[in-house]
Amino acid sequence: MCGIAGILLASNALDQRPLRTIGQMTMALRHRGPDGEGFWVDREAGIAFGHRRLAIVDLSETGRQPMHSASGRYVITFNGEIYNFRDLRRELEEVGHSFRGTGDTEIMLCAIERWGVEAAVKRFAGMFAFGLWDLQTRTLHLVRDRMGKKPLYVGLTRDALVFASELKAITCFPGFEAKLDEGAAMAMLSKGWVPDGNCIWRAAYKMPPGSLISVTAADLAVKRSAASLARRTRRWWSLAEVASIGQREPAAGNDEELTTELDRVLRLAVRERMVADVPLGAFLSGGVDSSTVVALMQAQSTKPVRTFTIAFDEGGFDEAPHAAAVARFLGTDHTELHLSAAAARDVIPDLPQIWDEPFGDESQIPTLLVSRLARQHVTVALSGDGGDECFAGYSRHFLASHLTRLQRLPSPLRQATAMGVGVLAHLSDHDLIESLPLSASLRHAMRSDRLYRLAHLLKAGNEDDLLQRLTSPSTETLARHQPPIPSFSSPLPNDLLSRLLFDDMTGYLPGDILVKLDRASMANGLEGRCPILDHRVVEFAWRLPADAKVRNGKGKWILRHLLGRYLPQQLIDRTKQGFDVPVGAWLRGPLRTWASDLIATARLSGAGILDFAKVDACWRAHLDGKQDRARDLWPVLMFEAWHCEATRSIASDAAKAHEYALLGD
């Protein structure tokens, strides 16, 4: 995994000096590739590529990028891994091709030369984002993997297209206008993350998952906006098509046969992701997803797998005992780090620079810290990300069937039930439930925010209304305007669970989960791999019947059943906790001054995004202890912290870009 950057000048560009900025752009990504850098520039064609290397497979010089194809027709700068490259290599060798090195990039280039760009990427199993220059046709191809695991941003200026793994490289380019996209900002304040179809800067956009675009210098002479360029992007892989095929051609077999097939497909995905020429391990929380990945790793390893867990020294936020129990049973080489709240809070000032779009999912903190821990011992870590989205692990997934049945009840009865749940939420707000002798899991389930959410869902008038409520943010938007209500283009209009899963896979997964993992791991020079999101696993998951996912009021039934082949039931059956951190308590205590200062700064900044009457009321209610409003406040605080950092760094980038522009050829 690496960091990539590139520049293509428009055919009518009068000045080639901006190509020199490729050095500054690439340097901005040095954290993604601490093992070296490389550049390729063709001034006559107006193209430049940069690459920061995190060496994983083939550590020799033959793995350096940017890399030329054997014929010299193509040049590539590539971020990611092609896990089936050995199978592709054997296939290509059988028809006469030979290779200098042992890595995947050389195989990619050969596959593209033999089969063409789109046909080749359809045969790649992996995570990838790359820029490919065709010297013969003078065309730039930009490609992103199926699920959106690897980021790829594209920016447009008056005279050039620029692309990179992160926005901080694009804002280095002279002439790039870093103007806030208010729609993206409103969406972030509502959801906590910028949707994958938006970008925080107007002049940039994200390549969608499973997409590619082909551009020439002549195209750039007439395409003057990021939006017009984005419309040329086409899909080479479609989740909508996968979902439709899965519904038309469901998997055949009984429970055991389906579980065995999942075991086979997921074992293959795990095995392919265990290929590395550097130390490798896994994140282990003790939950179903990470435990399944680690169990399949250990089943295919001749030595103990390295596993990593962090824990906060605060009650109710510690999954370490569960992880340790799983590690002991499987026989892994387990590392556990207990952190004080102060140590966790110490990383907060770094967050806006690491996530260079505003990002308000507080689980970014433990994800960053566990990545930092793992990097002290390994260079690659497998994770269980994707299990909830593929196999229905969120409460909304298994609530859906219950709530659908409740839709059949008379409206007055549903409204009365909603009112009763609202009363419980009010009691929870005032700590009255805390005084009851409840288990930790039940107390977690009866948090006021969860109860208010349930009351809101019970008021749904019909299934479409229920879908809208299930997929809308559960927090109050503190922006001046509400973001537009999204339209649902799910190909499965008659199946509520499938519509929810489709929405998660196309929204929350690429916009939040994968962004969180990529930035947290790459900030530490660590490669994160997600076997559950292998496209073959995803495609199999869409062929499963609903009751293989949700059964007996629980989600991820088939994944739990599979894990039961490797772990005893008592290590599987526990309440899902998630990567929670006690942000609410911190905001009332040690983070209070920091938060107050940010809110005051936001009031003076003039960005015009926030509704300060709402912000002030929310902040007072939280400080008074009447309600835990951390989930409403955290996106606001992260947005403002990001805005301060962006303003500072853009001013610095502009000064450096001016210096580059003054340099001669």
Side-chain angles (χ1 to χ4, degrees):
M1 200 184 296
C2 308
I4 63 172
I7 303 165
L8 176 62
L9 298 180
S11 58
N12 58 354
L14 301 177
D15 188 358
Q16 290 190 334
R17 285 178 298 176
L19 290 175
R20 299 180 68 96
T21 317
I22 194 65
Q24 184 185 350
M25 292 175 65
T26 306
M27 180 58 70
L29 303 171
R30 58 191 177 277
H31 54 284
R32 298 184 69 93
D35 298 328
E37 66 179 8
F39 304 97
W40 173 79
V41 180
D42 183 339
R43 294 185 180 281
E44 193 270 330
I47 182 82
F49 281 174
H51 188 268
R52 289 293 311 195
R53 186 183 188 193
L54 177 62
I56 302 293
V57 177
D58 189 357
L59 310 185
S60 72
E61 288 298 300
T62 59
R64 285 179 60 85
Q65 296 185 51
M67 185 182 291
H68 286 75
S69 63
S71 70
R73 175 176 175 177
Y74 295 104
V75 183
I76 195 171
T77 182
F78 158 55
N79 169 31
E81 301 287 346
I82 306 301
Y83 300 119
N84 65 336
F85 78 96
R86 289 177 171 173
D87 293 335
L88 294 172
R89 178 179 181 133
R90 283 191 290 270
E91 184 177 348
L92 292 165
E93 285 175 334
E94 286 173 359
V95 293
H97 294 282
S98 59
F99 302 97
R100 296 169 53 245
T102 59
D104 55 356
T105 311
E106 192 178 3
I107 307 303
M108 291 175 68
L109 285 165
C110 184
I112 289 167
E113 284 203 313
R114 182 164 185 84
W115 299 314
V117 177
E118 190 162 348
V121 296
K122 288 180 178 179
R123 301 181 69 161
F124 296 161
M127 55 180 183
F128 48 87
F130 63 84
L132 179 80
W133 179 249
D134 185 336
L135 280 79
Q136 181 175 306
T137 64
R138 292 200 169 193
T139 302
L140 172 66
H141 304 283
L142 299 175
V143 185
R144 192 178 183 199
D145 66 60
R146 295 171 180 85
M147 302 305 296
K149 298 175 189 175
K150 291 295 97 192
L152 186 54
Y153 290 90
V154 182
L156 203 64
T157 71
R158 187 183 66 179
D159 295 322
L161 175 151
V162 287
F163 67 89
S165 300
E166 297 181 22
L167 279 175
K168 57 175 63 71
I170 288 177
T171 56
C172 291
F173 189 76
F176 179 79
E177 295 187 22
K179 292 184 177 179
L180 191 71
D181 185 308
E182 290 196 5
M186 300 291 183
M188 181 271 162
L189 290 167
S190 174
K191 296 174 178 289
W193 40 275
V194 177
D196 215 49
N198 299 90
C199 183
I200 201 64
W201 301 127
R202 290 184 206 167
Y205 73 98
K206 302 166 193 166
M207 287 287 292
S211 71
L212 67 87
I213 188 171
S214 302
V215 184
T216 66
D219 293 330
L220 299 180
V222 294
K223 299 294 179 185
R224 293 301 188 186
S225 73
S228 63
L229 196 64
R231 285 192 287 271
R232 294 181 51 133
T233 303
R234 64 187 189 276
R235 299 277 182 170
W236 62 267
W237 185 86
S238 166
L239 183 66
E241 184 177 329
V242 166
S244 295
I245 291 172
Q247 192 172 52
R248 293 196 309 269
E249 303 171 10
N254 59 33
D255 286 347
E256 292 304 320
E257 289 168 338
L258 291 176
T259 303
T260 296
E261 178 61 12
L262 175 59
D263 193 342
R264 183 193 69 79
V265 176
L266 194 49
R267 266 178 176 260
L268 172 62
V270 168
R271 182 167 65 250
E272 288 180 341
R273 283 158 180 78
M274 292 174 69
V275 175
D277 295 331
V278 292
L280 175 144
F283 300 140
L284 179 61
S285 69
V288 171
D289 305 335
S290 65
S291 296
T292 301
V293 169
V294 171
L296 293 175
M297 290 176 73
Q298 194 59 70
Q300 301 179 90
S301 178
T302 57
K303 59 184 180 181
V305 171
R306 295 298 307 266
T307 53
F308 304 94
T309 300
I310 63 165
F312 294 117
D313 293 336
E314 295 197 24
F317 298 94
D318 187 0
E319 290 193 313
H322 302 290
V326 171
R328 280 193 301 272
F329 187 88
L330 294 175
T332 73
D333 180 0
H334 191 58
T335 300
E336 182 180 296
L337 177 65
H338 281 262
L339 289 168
S340 67
R345 292 192 301 269
D346 284 346
V347 306
I348 290 175
D350 299 332
L351 301 181
Q353 194 274 333
I354 293 171
W355 280 267
D356 57 358
E357 279 190 294
F359 190 77
D361 180 343
E362 66 271 21
S363 65
Q364 64 194 130
I365 297 171
T367 307
L368 181 65
L369 291 169
V370 76
S371 297
R372 186 175 295 176
L373 168 66
R375 188 61 177 93
Q376 296 172 17
H377 305 274
V378 299
T379 311
V380 176
L382 275 65
S383 86
D385 288 302
D388 292 316
E389 291 78 13
C390 286
F391 299 103
Y394 296 126
S395 59
R396 57 183 169 270
H397 298 147
F398 37 92
L399 271 175
S401 60
H402 296 303
L403 293 169
T404 300
R405 286 195 295 272
L406 287 174
Q407 287 291 312
R408 305 187 191 112
L409 295 176
S411 178
L413 183 56
R414 279 190 286 111
Q415 298 301 319
T417 305
M419 187 178 299
V421 174
V423 170
L424 278 177
H426 182 72
L427 293 174
S428 181
D429 260 345
H430 291 78
D431 296 329
L432 295 179
I433 287 179
E434 286 292 320
S435 62
L436 298 177
L438 303 176
S439 66
S441 60
L442 186 56
R443 185 172 286 112
H444 184 75
M446 295 188 71
R447 280 179 7 193
S448 62
D449 59 329
R450 292 172 179 266
L451 292 171
Y452 280 123
R453 174 78 163 161
L454 178 58
H456 176 67
L457 295 174
L458 288 169
K459 294 176 183 177
N462 53 48
E463 188 171 294
D464 285 342
D465 185 18
L466 178 58
L467 175 66
Q468 193 68 59
R469 289 169 184 255
L470 282 165
T471 54
S472 63
S474 58
T475 56
E476 179 186 358
T477 299
L478 302 180
R480 284 192 302 113
H481 304 294
Q482 295 289 329
I485 296 174
S487 59
F488 290 94
S489 56
S490 165
L492 307 163
N494 298 318
D495 177 352
L496 181 59
L497 176 60
S498 294
R499 293 169 79 182
L500 287 168
L501 291 171
F502 186 84
D503 182 70
D504 283 330
M505 279 196 182
T506 55
Y508 183 56
L509 179 66
D512 183 311
I513 299 297
L514 295 177
V515 170
K516 178 174 59 182
L517 178 64
D518 177 81
R519 303 306 189 277
S521 59
M522 294 311 295
N524 293 286
L526 177 76
E527 175 166 296
R529 297 178 174 180
C530 309
I532 297 177
L533 289 175
D534 183 285
H535 74 279
R536 294 159 294 191
V537 177
V538 171
E539 289 168 2
F540 177 71
W542 276 103
R543 295 178 58 224
L544 290 170
D547 74 343
K549 298 171 184 175
V550 177
R551 188 180 297 187
N552 301 324
K554 289 184 177 180
K556 296 190 286 197
W557 179 87
I558 192 169
L559 207 57
R560 293 172 187 274
H561 195 56
L562 170 59
L563 185 55
R565 297 181 176 184
Y566 300 91
L567 288 180
Q569 206 61 37
Q570 65 266 27
L571 292 181
I572 301 172
D573 289 335
R574 69 181 186 87
T575 302
K576 180 181 178 66
Q577 182 170 315
F579 238 167
D580 284 338
V581 287
V583 169
W586 293 353
L587 290 176
R588 292 191 186 101
L591 292 183
R592 179 170 178 165
T593 300
W594 169 80
S596 294
D597 289 347
L598 275 177
I599 292 171
T601 301
R603 198 184 305 276
L604 297 172
S605 68
I609 300 297
L610 296 170
D611 182 330
F612 285 102
K614 288 183 180 179
V615 172
D616 290 342
C618 185
W619 182 228
R620 284 195 302 271
H622 186 78
L623 292 180
D624 290 345
K626 295 177 181 177
Q627 295 178 341
D628 185 347
R629 302 298 299 275
R631 291 182 183 272
D632 300 317
L633 290 164
W634 192 251
V636 171
L637 297 171
M638 284 293 97
F639 176 82
E640 185 53 33
W642 167 84
H643 191 255
C644 292
E645 170 63 23
T647 302
R648 184 202 61 77
S649 63
I650 288 168
S652 174
D653 289 341
K656 292 177 183 176
H658 181 67
E659 292 175 13
Y660 271 84
L662 294 177
L663 293 172
D665 290 339

